């Protein structure tokens, strides 16, 4: 898309000219991760080793300000260092002093570069390695990012007052000046002065709390182990503290008063997780304490600030909703970061999968430890699903790449899910014993420091003796995954199984053919044999596998070690054999999904019967969930009958999937009563939401269904999921009440978690009639400046889905005004999505007029921005 950068008027005017020329090409077929001309991003030259950071700060909730002194103790890395560069964004610096031993306080000249987000300090004389310098920076700020002030207002009068930080990846520079990249580590201190009755939670141990003469209090936290500065954290508010412990180390949960029991439900397994991670890594929990603090209006689930994880308040829940809204994965993920991300930190953001992929996979391993091997396989299946959704629907990128538009873009399903799956493949290749020896060696070697992907690969190869170069070249430094089509045949005269495998993925400069050792299961009358064969890096391959007798079926990768997609051409009878004989959940899930795609409806009803048995008999709830989904996919009368008993399943997540599947049978109006009863009587809020959404699939019963959905909108639920489901159903039904109800639940002051769902419902409602697009677009645009981060996220995505070109100017303004990189990228994605939907030329005069109006609006935006840039260029004072 055309962008305006600070590169002079020529490029700006060229972009404007192209826009005014009316370029209407379809653009990219799919979203791309980064434009071809994206410049590589490397860590900048830092010039010094940061040793210690002391923050002595006043936090004023009323004024939304922070002020005080940031003292950076450091030593230069090169001789004749004459200046020091710190990261600082939107900070009002008033004085910089050098306080080296024996020299007192020498004031130093400085300059700020807002575009580069830097503070440059001129030293009094050149310094060199071995000289320790203490640079005190006095400043104040009213942060627009990095430090957030939330609290009561007219819409939410009962919201508690809080101040909290979010530093990753590069936002801490918005509230204190220091080095703000992951490739350096320092000890830290936080002296936070706040009004009563606020409490402050920060990194490390609480050294003291001092009462000040003006009635305020200063909390002095000290973090004695060096760590990256993006992990510096402060959370301020009124909290109830729930005390726990692990082997004498304090474990603390800070939550809103009155929600202590929810804290125990949500976080109570933390000591057990600490015990597991300490054992398997060979490094007991390495810090003085571990705290989890819940905050309001958080844009993420959690953040692994060293010793002081920040968690969203949305994760708190009562015991009765623990199955559907468990905090276990979130808590385990953030805790795993204390080892992988905090104790060991990726050296630069292109290696961030070493933080996020490890945290995800260690969480999966913990869940397998706590709940059994089927749970581990179920979590791996979820990783595959989430990664493929991004890889197939948005983009594919190398796991390690320096070509990214902003560091925030690296925090995607590649770094998290694919990163974890790469670790899973390594474990499958080297075996459990070598895997854990390698993990312990990696932790031992890099604890307290930074690491790169090459460092990790080297350790694993040294410990296991297994060459991992092909895996890393293909899955880490390359993009994509093998997409396979397979079939098998029995050659009795040769006593061979011939397995034909074709790799069908599109070959690009970053994606080639894959080579990987894979297990093949031959399922016979007397049991199953597992053979390991080598998948070669070529399009077509025929594998010859000796077998004395004809297998009942052949299973590719029966334990699910390999990241891939596969279409295996087998009859229904063989998929049933695979389902009934598999000793691993991965093979069962593959068979269940294949049966769901089989079409069913055969005279014998084999597929429906097998899926019905699985829904009733499979021991793991995940298999029963997939059986329910598969029956819904079949959509036959026999499938419906096999699905009904699942309504009585003891596990609420299975009942939820059954209720979702009932929405696939719109020609059975008798199901409306079943769904209405579930909406009213189900104890699970997630199941109620599923019932509501499925009711939206029965348009022929709209007049009957609408009153039930309207009643459901007034029923409180965990994370407002029932309201979200009811709004989606009303939109699906094209109910007249949809617009007014969605607007009501989107507004400031509505139930917090309903607002994003209401915006999505508006977009869905607009799809029923193109004439509604303008009306919905104007509503959506009014939320682009909403104070709630998640609402802004939802509206950016909704405008992209709406596809109205007239939204582009508002999205341009949003991208320009947003200080958060992730939101700017979402706005750019929405614009690109709209442009991609304009594949066909406008036909009639009305459409042409709309297109002209859109171009004129975009031109106005570009002209005004160009004028602002030129004016800024004329008035900017050059500084060294």
């Amino acid at each position: 898309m055309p962008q305006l950068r600070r590169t002079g008027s020529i490029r700006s005017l060229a972009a404007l000219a192209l826009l005014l020329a009316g370029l209407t090409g379809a653009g990219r077929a799919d979203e791309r991760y980064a434009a071809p001309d994206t410049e590589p991003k490397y860590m900048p030259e830092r010039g010094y080793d940061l040793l210690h950071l002391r923050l002595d700060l006043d936090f004023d909730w009323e004024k939304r300000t922070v002020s005080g002194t940031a003292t950076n103790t450091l030593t230069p890395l090169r001789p004749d260092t004459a200046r020091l560069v710190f990261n600082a964004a939107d900070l009002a610096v008033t004085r910089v002093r050098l306080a080296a031993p024996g020299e007192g306080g020498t004031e130093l000249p400085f300059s700020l570069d807002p575009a580069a987000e830097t503070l440059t300090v001129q030293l009094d004389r050149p310094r060199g390695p071995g000289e320790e310098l203490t640079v005190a920076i006095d400043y104040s700020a009213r942060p627009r990012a990095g430090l957030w002030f939330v609290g009561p207002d007219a819409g939410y009068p009962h919201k508690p007052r809080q101040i909290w930080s979010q530093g990753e990846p590069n936002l801490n520079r918005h509230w204190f000046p220091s080095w703000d990249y992951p490739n350096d580590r320092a000890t830290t201190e936080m002296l936070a002065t706040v009004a009563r009755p606020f409490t402050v939670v920060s990194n490390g141990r609480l050294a003291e709390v001092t009462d000040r003469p003006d009635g305020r209090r200063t909390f002095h936290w000290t973090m004695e182990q060096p760590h990256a500065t993006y992990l510096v954290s402060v959370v301020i508010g009124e909290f109830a503290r729930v005390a726990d412990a692990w082997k004498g180390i304090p474990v603390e949960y800070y939550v809103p008063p009155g929600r202590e029991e929810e804290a125990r439900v949500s976080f109570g397994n933390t000591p057990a997780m600490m015990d597991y991670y300490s054992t398997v890594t060979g490094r007991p929990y390495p810090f003085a304490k571990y705290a989890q603090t819940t905050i309001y209006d958080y844009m993420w689930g959690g953040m692994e600030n060293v010793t002081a994880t920040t968690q969203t308040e949305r994760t708190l829940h009562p015991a009765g909703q623990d199955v559907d809204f468990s905090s276990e994965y979130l808590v385990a993920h953030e805790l795993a970061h204390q080892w992988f991300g905090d104790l060991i930190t990726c050296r630069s953001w292109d290696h961030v999968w070493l933080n996020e992929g490890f945290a995800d996979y260690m969480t999966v391993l913990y869940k397998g430890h706590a709940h059994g091997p089927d749970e581990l396989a179920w979590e791996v299946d979820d990783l595959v699903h989430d990664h493929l959704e991004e890889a197939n629907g948005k983009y594919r990128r190398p796991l390690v790449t320096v070509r990214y538009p902003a560091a925030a873009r690296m925090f995607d399903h590649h770094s998290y899910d694919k990163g974890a799956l790469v670790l899973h493949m390594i474990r499958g290749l080297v075996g459990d014993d070598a895997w854990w020896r390698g993990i312990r060696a990696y932790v031992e070697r890099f604890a307290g420091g930074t690491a790169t992907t090459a460092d990790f690969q080297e350790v694993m190869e040294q410990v296991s003796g297994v060459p991992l170069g092909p895996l890393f070249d293909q899955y880490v430094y390359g993009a994509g995954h093998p997409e396979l089509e397979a079939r098998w045949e029995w050659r009795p005269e040769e006593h061979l199984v011939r397995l034909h495998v074709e790799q069908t993925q599109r070959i690009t400069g970053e994606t080639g053919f894959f080579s990987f050792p894979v297990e093949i299961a031959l399922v016979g009358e007397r049991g199953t044999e597992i053979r390991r064969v080598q998948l070669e890096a070529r399009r077509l391959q025929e594998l010859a596998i000796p077998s004395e007798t004809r297998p009942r079926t052949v299973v590719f990768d029966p334990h699910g070690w390999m990241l891939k997609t596969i279409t295996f051409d087998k009859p229904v009878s063989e998929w049933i054999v695979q389902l009934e004989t598999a000793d691993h959940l991965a093979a069962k899930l593959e068979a269940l999904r294949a049966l769901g795609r089989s079409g069913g409806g055969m005279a014998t009803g084999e597929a429906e019967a097998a899926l019905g048995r699985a829904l009733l008999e499979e021991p793991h709830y995940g298999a029963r969930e997939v059986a329910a989904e598969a029956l819904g996919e079949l959509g036959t009368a026999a499938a419906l009958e096999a699905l009904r008993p699942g309504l009585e399943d003891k596990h609420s997540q299975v009942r939820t999937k059954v209720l979702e599947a009932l929405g696939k049978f719109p020609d059975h109006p008798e199901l409306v009563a079943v769904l209405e009863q579930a909406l009213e009587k189900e104890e699970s809020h997630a199941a109620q939401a599923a019932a509501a959404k499925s009711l939206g699939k029965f348009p022929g019963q709209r007049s009957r269904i609408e009153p039930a959905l309207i009643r459901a909108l007034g029923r409180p639920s965990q994370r407002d999921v029932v309201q979200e489901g009811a709004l989606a159903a009303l939109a699906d039904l094209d109910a007249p009440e949809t617009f007014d109800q969605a607007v009501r639940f989107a507004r400031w002051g509505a139930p917090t978690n309903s607002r994003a769902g209401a915006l999505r419902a508006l977009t869905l409602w607009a799809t029923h009639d193109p004439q509604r697009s303008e009306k919905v677009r104007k509503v959506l645009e009014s939320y682009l400046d909403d104070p709630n981060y998640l609402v802004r996220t939802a509206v950016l995505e909704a405008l992209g889905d709406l596809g109205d070109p007239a939204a582009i100017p508002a999205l341009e303004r949003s991208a320009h005004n947003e200080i958060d990189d992730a939101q700017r990228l979402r706005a750019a994605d929405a614009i690109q999505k709209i442009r991609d939907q304009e594949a066909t030329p406008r036909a009639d005069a009305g459409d042409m007029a709309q297109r002209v109006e859109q171009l004129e609006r975009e031109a106005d935006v570009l002209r005004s921005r160009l004028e602002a840039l030129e004016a800024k260029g004329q008035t900017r004072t050059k500084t060294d």
Side-chain angles (χ1 to χ4, degrees):
M1 66 174 183
Q3 293 183 346
L4 294 177
R5 301 180 185 274
R6 189 170 295 175
T7 53
S9 300
I10 295 178
R11 179 178 295 185
S12 302
L13 289 172
L16 181 60
L18 289 173
L19 180 61
L20 291 175
L23 296 180
T24 57
R28 301 173 297 211
D30 296 302
E31 293 181 25
R32 291 182 296 185
Y33 180 70
D37 61 349
T38 299
E39 295 181 358
K41 293 178 176 59
Y42 304 100
M43 292 295 96
E45 178 181 347
R46 57 189 169 98
Y48 55 84
D49 179 18
L50 184 66
L51 303 175
H52 184 72
L53 170 65
R54 176 186 169 103
L55 298 175
D56 195 339
L57 303 175
D58 289 351
F59 295 87
D60 191 321
W61 187 90
E62 299 292 343
K63 295 180 181 178
R64 271 52 171 183
T65 60
V66 59
S67 60
T69 303
T71 304
N72 291 267
T73 301
L74 53 90
T75 182
L77 294 176
R78 288 178 300 281
D80 300 322
T81 296
R83 62 181 185 175
L84 304 171
V85 178
F86 302 95
N87 297 112
D90 295 330
L91 305 183
V93 177
T94 56
R95 185 171 63 152
V96 179
R97 292 165 288 127
L98 182 65
E103 296 189 21
T106 303
E107 290 207 22
L108 300 175
F110 64 88
S111 61
L112 288 161
D113 185 339
E117 298 183 342
T118 56
L119 163 68
T120 300
V121 176
Q122 302 293 331
L123 293 174
D124 56 342
R125 60 181 175 80
R127 307 295 182 117
E131 294 187 74
E132 186 173 300
L133 308 177
T134 300
V135 181
I137 304 167
D138 299 337
Y139 71 100
S140 63
R142 186 182 175 90
R144 296 185 294 155
L147 190 70
W148 301 81
F149 298 77
V150 301
D153 56 30
Y156 300 96
H158 303 296
K159 183 185 295 183
R161 297 181 301 164
Q162 293 182 339
I163 307 171
W164 46 263
S165 64
Q166 169 58 33
E168 191 178 43
N170 52 9
L171 296 173
N172 273 345
R173 66 188 64 183
H174 289 269
W175 64 283
F176 65 82
S178 190
W179 184 253
D180 194 20
Y181 292 95
N183 61 341
D184 199 3
R185 301 168 74 84
T187 55
T188 58
E189 284 180 273
M190 173 73 68
L191 289 88
T193 299
V194 296
R196 290 179 179 274
F198 285 147
T199 292
V200 178
V201 183
S202 188
N203 313 99
R205 61 181 180 84
L206 183 60
E208 62 177 339
V209 179
T210 304
D211 292 318
R212 300 172 69 92
D214 60 5
R216 296 182 299 161
R217 292 187 296 175
T218 299
F219 291 76
H220 183 185
W221 290 88
T222 178
M223 182 65 205
E224 295 162 349
Q225 291 106 321
H227 60 91
T229 55
Y230 75 84
L231 297 168
V232 172
S233 170
V234 67
V235 179
I236 300 167
E238 298 178 56
F239 297 107
R241 176 180 174 272
V242 178
D244 210 336
W246 178 79
K247 295 188 176 181
I249 293 176
V251 177
E252 304 166 333
Y253 319 130
Y254 292 89
V255 298
R259 304 186 72 177
E260 293 88 341
E261 187 55 39
E262 292 183 49
R264 296 182 181 94
V265 171
S266 303
F267 304 140
N269 288 333
T270 303
M273 297 172 185
M274 296 172 76
D275 196 64
Y276 175 73
Y277 292 149
S278 296
T279 300
V280 297
T281 63
R283 176 64 66 100
Y285 178 77
F287 305 117
K289 70 106 173 26
Y290 186 61
Q292 294 172 88
T293 307
T294 56
I295 61 172
Y296 284 77
D297 293 352
Y298 197 33
M299 63 282 290
W300 311 120
M303 175 61 205
E304 65 274 14
N305 302 307
V306 60
T307 77
T309 284
T310 302
Q311 304 277 33
T312 174
E313 168 273 338
R314 299 186 301 277
T315 199
L316 294 175
H317 60 275
Q321 296 297 323
D322 191 53
V323 172
D324 296 313
F325 300 96
S326 172
S327 299
E328 185 177 42
Y329 198 101
L330 176 63
V331 173
H333 176 100
E334 303 305 339
L335 177 63
H337 270 308
Q338 299 298 310
W339 285 263
F340 302 101
D342 296 2
L343 182 66
I344 304 172
T345 306
C346 64
R347 193 165 302 166
S348 52
W349 295 124
D350 46 310
H351 298 282
V352 75
W353 80 279
L354 293 176
N355 292 11
E356 300 301 346
F358 260 98
D360 258 359
Y361 194 54
M362 292 301 291
T363 298
V364 168
L365 293 172
Y366 167 76
K367 294 199 73 173
H369 163 77
H371 306 294
D374 279 352
E375 188 72 8
L376 192 158
W378 180 238
E379 292 293 346
V380 169
D381 184 80
D382 197 49
L383 293 173
V384 172
H385 177 272
D386 287 347
H387 169 62
L388 291 180
E389 188 173 32
E390 181 170 88
N392 295 335
K394 292 185 177 180
Y395 56 78
R396 301 178 184 191
R397 67 166 177 87
L399 197 52
V400 174
T401 177
V402 294
R403 296 187 182 277
Y404 51 86
R409 182 72 100 185
M410 290 297 290
F411 293 80
D412 60 3
H413 287 294
H414 282 69
S415 291
Y416 286 75
D417 302 278
K418 187 179 182 181
L421 292 167
V422 165
L423 297 175
H424 186 63
M425 287 191 288
I426 294 171
R427 179 169 154 254
L429 283 176
V430 306
D432 262 9
D433 179 70
W435 161 263
W436 286 120
R437 285 190 290 112
I439 292 302
R440 288 190 287 272
Y442 175 65
V443 172
E444 178 65 25
R445 185 175 303 182
F446 293 99
T450 61
T452 66
T453 300
D455 294 328
F456 173 62
Q457 179 182 345
E458 180 183 15
V459 171
M460 294 304 299
E461 289 181 332
Q462 287 177 349
V463 170
S464 70
V466 177
L468 298 174
L471 185 151
F472 277 81
D473 285 346
Q474 296 167 139
Y475 282 97
V476 177
Y477 299 110
H481 54 268
E483 300 173 36
L484 309 176
E485 293 182 1
R487 58 183 176 85
W488 74 277
E489 58 181 324
W490 164 242
R491 299 284 182 85
E493 69 281 1
E494 300 175 279
H495 296 284
L496 287 177
V497 168
R498 294 282 183 179
L499 180 62
H500 304 272
V501 181
E502 181 179 0
Q503 298 194 36
T504 62
Q505 66 271 13
R506 188 169 69 91
I507 305 304
T508 70
E510 294 177 331
T511 304
F513 295 118
F514 286 75
S515 176
F516 198 85
V518 63
E519 293 178 339
I520 305 296
L522 306 181
V523 181
E525 297 292 342
R526 298 183 180 179
T528 300
E529 293 183 64
I530 302 290
R531 309 287 179 81
R532 179 171 283 198
V533 299
Q534 184 70 29
L535 182 69
E536 299 293 346
R538 60 176 185 261
R539 183 170 295 281
L540 295 171
Q541 183 176 359
E542 184 178 277
L543 300 168
I545 306 171
S547 179
E548 289 300 316
T549 60
R550 186 188 192 282
R552 298 175 66 195
T553 192
V554 175
V555 184
F556 191 96
D557 189 24
H559 297 131
W561 289 113
M562 183 181 182
L563 172 57
K564 65 189 181 304
T565 60
I566 183 169
T567 301
F568 206 144
D569 185 11
K570 297 196 297 189
V572 166
S573 59
E574 287 194 29
W575 288 116
I576 294 173
V577 169
Q578 178 172 325
L579 173 62
E580 294 177 346
T581 61
D583 64 353
H584 196 280
L585 188 67
K588 291 184 179 183
L589 297 177
E590 181 188 36
L592 290 166
R593 290 172 176 136
L595 290 170
R597 294 190 297 267
S598 68
M602 301 171 61
T604 58
E606 287 181 289
E608 290 91 340
L611 290 169
R613 288 193 300 272
L615 180 59
L616 290 175
E617 299 172 5
E618 279 296 329
H620 192 267
Y621 68 93
R624 303 200 301 277
E625 284 188 44
V626 175
E629 291 176 329
L631 287 166
E633 190 71 20
L634 286 177
T636 63
L640 177 57
E641 292 310 306
L643 191 60
R644 290 179 188 272
L647 290 167
E648 306 301 322
D649 197 281
K650 62 182 179 181
H651 201 290
S652 61
Q653 290 178 336
V654 178
R655 299 197 303 275
T656 296
K657 289 298 180 183
V658 172
L659 291 164
E660 286 179 4
L662 291 181
K664 300 293 183 70
F665 299 89
D667 295 330
H668 288 264
E670 74 277 8
L671 294 178
V672 170
V674 176
L675 293 167
E676 286 178 332
Q677 182 177 12
L679 179 58
E680 295 291 335
K681 303 297 185 183
E682 252 289 352
E683 62 184 21
S684 160
H685 293 168
Q688 291 177 29
K693 289 179 181 178
S694 286
L695 283 169
K697 308 303 180 182
F698 293 83
Q701 304 292 309
R702 189 176 78 181
S703 60
R704 171 183 174 178
I705 292 169
E706 284 180 44
L709 295 175
I710 297 297
R711 288 195 301 272
L713 290 175
R715 189 181 312 146
S717 60
Q718 189 68 28
R719 299 183 197 167
D720 305 322
V721 294
V722 173
Q723 288 91 334
E724 182 179 5
L727 287 168
L730 288 170
D732 255 342
L733 291 170
D734 195 18
E737 298 91 346
T738 302
F739 183 82
D740 290 341
Q741 293 293 346
V743 168
R744 180 164 73 93
F745 277 89
R747 75 179 192 279
W748 185 256
T752 306
N753 296 300
S754 76
R755 302 182 66 215
L759 296 174
R760 288 189 290 269
L762 279 172
T763 306
L764 178 59
W765 178 74
T767 63
H768 291 287
D769 183 352
Q771 299 302 316
R772 298 170 180 169
S773 176
E774 181 179 5
K775 184 177 183 180
V776 170
R777 172 179 57 78
K778 289 179 178 179
V779 173
L780 294 177
E781 287 179 354
S782 70
Y783 288 101
L784 282 170
D785 297 320
D786 195 272
N788 186 289
Y789 187 100
L790 294 178
V791 169
R792 297 203 307 282
T793 298
V795 76
L796 291 170
E797 294 172 351
L799 284 169
D801 292 339
L802 186 66
D804 187 346
I808 289 178
L811 288 166
E812 287 270 9
R813 284 191 293 272
S814 177
H816 177 67
N817 294 333
E818 273 282 1
I819 197 168
D820 183 89
D821 284 338
Q823 297 289 49
R824 283 201 296 266
L825 290 168
R826 290 187 184 102
D829 289 345
I831 292 169
Q832 187 59 52
K833 190 170 185 177
I834 293 170
R835 294 198 184 283
D836 288 346
Q837 293 176 32
E838 292 185 280
T840 55
R842 303 289 183 178
D844 57 51
D847 287 335
M848 183 61 71
Q850 183 181 13
R851 176 61 176 157
V852 171
E853 180 185 358
Q854 172 213 344
L855 289 171
E856 290 174 346
R857 293 173 67 187
E858 292 183 32
D860 288 341
V861 172
L862 289 170
R863 285 193 188 96
S864 63
R865 194 176 307 168
L866 177 58
E867 290 169 359
L869 287 172
E870 290 175 336
K872 193 168 187 177
Q874 293 170 0
T875 59
R876 184 181 177 194
T877 302
K878 185 177 180 181
T879 58
D880 293 328

